[in-house]
Amino acid sequence: MTTASSDALVIGSGPSALAIASALCEEGLKVEALSNKEPNEPWPYTYGVWGNEVDELGMEHLLEHRWKNTVSYFGEGSQEVNSKKNQSTKHNIDYGLFNKVKLQQYWLKKCEDHNLKWYRGNAEEAKVGDKFTEVKTREGLLLKARIVIDASGYNPAILKSVKDGDIAIQTCYGVVGKFNYPPVEDGQFVLMDYRCNHLNKHERKGPPTFLYAMDMGGGSYFLEETSLGLSPPVSLDTLKQRLSRRLRSRGLKITKLEHEELGIYLPMNMPLPDMEQGIFGFGGAAGMVHPASGYMFGGLLRRAPGVAKKIAEKMRDLNSSSHEISEAAWNELWSPQMVRKQALYKFGLEKLMRFSESQLRDFFIGFFMLPNEEWYGFLTNKLNLSQLVRAMVRMFIGATWNVRWGLMIMKGRELKLLWKFLKKYN
């Protein structure tokens, strides 16, 4: 009888793949991995996380930077430095950036300690059988496992998703460098700076963008002009021009350019995969990005161990089919409550995409007036469904009429998304 060569085959070598692969290894499973690049190839992006999230997981030692002075700016902005239009909103929760090399090596070491075997290649097709699933690669490899996990990113190698309308894309343009004077306070992290006094009236009618900025130490700063999410997305040229205008309005000049961030393709409202296909997914491939904030990293860290545990439990029954193991994993990752929350978050994103610049600023002023545990829980997807609904109701009651009106008017597919939350997942 033909048998699987491993318990689990993970496709990919990015953060999502290493998070779930190492968690599966720690459950005592025999794990193999397939990647079209070397597993220790440097990751190109930065990965941010709230300090509380890494503290709870005991991973704070893997941070490269951590800021206690975390703020946002939601006023209109003014050339008068002490104007109330420049007043900051203090978040009072630490924020950090991972040391990408340390984090990558942390996970790779766990995999190595459990003898995970790596294969190099491109997954081309998968055939789900009764007891195991076969994956064929473009290079001619044939790999077999009791469960196959596609963690290859937002354009999955083999996992199929259901079309669900246009995808809202978060884009950004940023620079790391030294400036003629500090663009942010010493040791400060700026989550969102929506001050827009550097734009003319016509430009303010366009898609709102904000500055994401931080003191990187040693006289270097990271400044990034960002579009929260839009379909079609804000162009890289527009973001670059806006960042340049923002800097000029404050008398800032780059004296040394150390790195240029040439935009990031971050799909905010990915459709959930077809969970009946017998292949499991994790990370961006599984639609795990938070639709209303773009966050996913904290979710990877928290949820990989639980998913791995569920897979291991199901595998103890040697009669479990690949479909049954995959189904158990999907039910753990996307429980009915998580699916309903995702639908509500997508409805919220659709609202934010249609807000004008002034509505968006007013919205965030009200949002961050919620108790810390509510806005933090919202952004990190840690509230249960009833807590999430209560937070949104509280937000609506305390909002300005400008924001309330925007929340009540239904445009585009907002009604359809709200109906999904109220009816389809009931």
Side-chain angles (χ1 to χ4, degrees), residues 309-328:
K309 185 178 182 63
K310 180 60 67 173
I311 290 172
E313 288 176 353
K314 192 66 178 177
M315 280 192 178
R316 291 193 187 105
D317 180 358
L318 298 180
N319 293 318
S320 293
S321 68
S322 287
H323 263 287
E324 289 170 337
I325 298 169
S326 173
E327 181 181 31

Side-chain angles (χ1 to χ4, degrees), residues 7-8 20 23-31 146-147 149 304-318 320 325 328-329 332:
D7 293 318
I20 191 63
L24 289 165
C25 284
E26 294 201 308
E27 288 296 326
L29 300 181
K30 182 182 179 183
V31 184
R146 293 188 69 193
I147 185 172
I149 301 170
V307 170
K309 185 178 182 63
K310 180 60 67 173
I311 290 172
E313 288 176 353
K314 192 66 178 177
M315 280 192 178
R316 291 193 187 105
D317 180 358
L318 298 180
S320 293
I325 298 169
E332 175 69 19

Side-chain angles (χ1 to χ4, degrees), residues 227-283:
S227 164
L228 185 61
L230 207 63
S231 178
V234 176
S235 72
L236 185 61
D237 285 342
T238 297
L239 293 169
K240 189 173 183 178
Q241 290 168 11
R242 287 199 173 190
L243 179 60
S244 178
R245 290 275 300 278
R246 190 186 292 273
L247 296 181
R248 286 201 307 271
S249 74
R250 300 183 189 177
L252 285 163
K253 295 180 181 179
I254 301 173
T255 58
K256 181 181 179 182
L257 180 63
E258 300 172 357
H259 174 69
E260 192 175 22
E261 190 80 59
L262 299 177
I264 293 177
Y265 172 90
L266 178 60
M268 298 280 284
N269 55 350
M270 291 272 290
L272 297 184
D274 172 9
M275 301 182 198
E276 301 296 325
Q277 59 190 293
I279 304 291
F280 182 57
F282 196 72

Side-chain angles (χ1 to χ4, degrees), residues 15 25 44 49 77 81-82 91 108 114 133 173 197 206 208 263-264 270 291 297 337 348-349 382 425:
C25 284
V49 67
V81 177
N82 296 322
H91 297 313
L108 285 174
H114 291 84
T133 297
Y173 170 80
N197 57 304
I264 293 177
M270 291 272 290
F297 220 85
Q337 179 169 128
L349 172 63
K382 295 177 73 174
Y425 301 116

Side-chain angles (χ1 to χ4, degrees), residues 110-211:
K110 287 179 179 289
C111 293
E112 181 183 341
D113 289 346
H114 291 84
N115 300 311
L116 181 145
K117 184 175 182 179
W118 286 94
Y119 294 93
R120 185 79 181 269
N122 294 271
E124 194 168 47
E125 63 175 301
K127 181 180 179 182
V128 181
D130 182 24
K131 295 301 180 183
F132 57 84
T133 297
E134 293 182 345
V135 172
K136 292 182 180 179
T137 73
R138 199 180 305 159
E139 296 76 15
L141 278 172
L142 179 62
L143 303 173
K144 302 176 183 180
R146 293 188 69 193
I147 185 172
V148 171
I149 301 170
D150 192 337
S152 58
Y154 297 113
N155 293 304
I158 56 175
L159 196 65
K160 296 179 175 60
S161 295
V162 179
K163 296 292 184 183
D164 191 27
D166 294 335
I167 302 296
I169 305 298
Q170 182 176 113
T171 51
C172 66
Y173 170 80
V175 295
V176 177
K178 299 182 186 297
F179 295 79
N180 55 328
Y181 71 89
V184 299
E185 293 178 12
D186 182 40
Q188 186 179 64
F189 167 80
V190 180
L191 179 64
M192 290 186 283
D193 184 346
Y194 268 104
R195 287 177 289 184
C196 54
N197 57 304
H198 56 287
L199 302 177
N200 59 42
K201 289 184 179 179
H202 174 73
E203 289 170 323
R204 291 191 192 187
K205 292 180 181 178
T209 61
F210 64 90
L211 179 71

Side-chain angles (χ1 to χ4, degrees), residues 41 77 81 160 196 201 226 229 252 261 295 329 355 360 365 377 385:
E41 183 173 316
V81 177
K160 296 179 175 60
C196 54
K201 289 184 179 179
T226 306
L252 285 163
E261 190 80 59
Y295 286 123
F355 273 12
L360 206 52
I365 288 172
L385 184 60

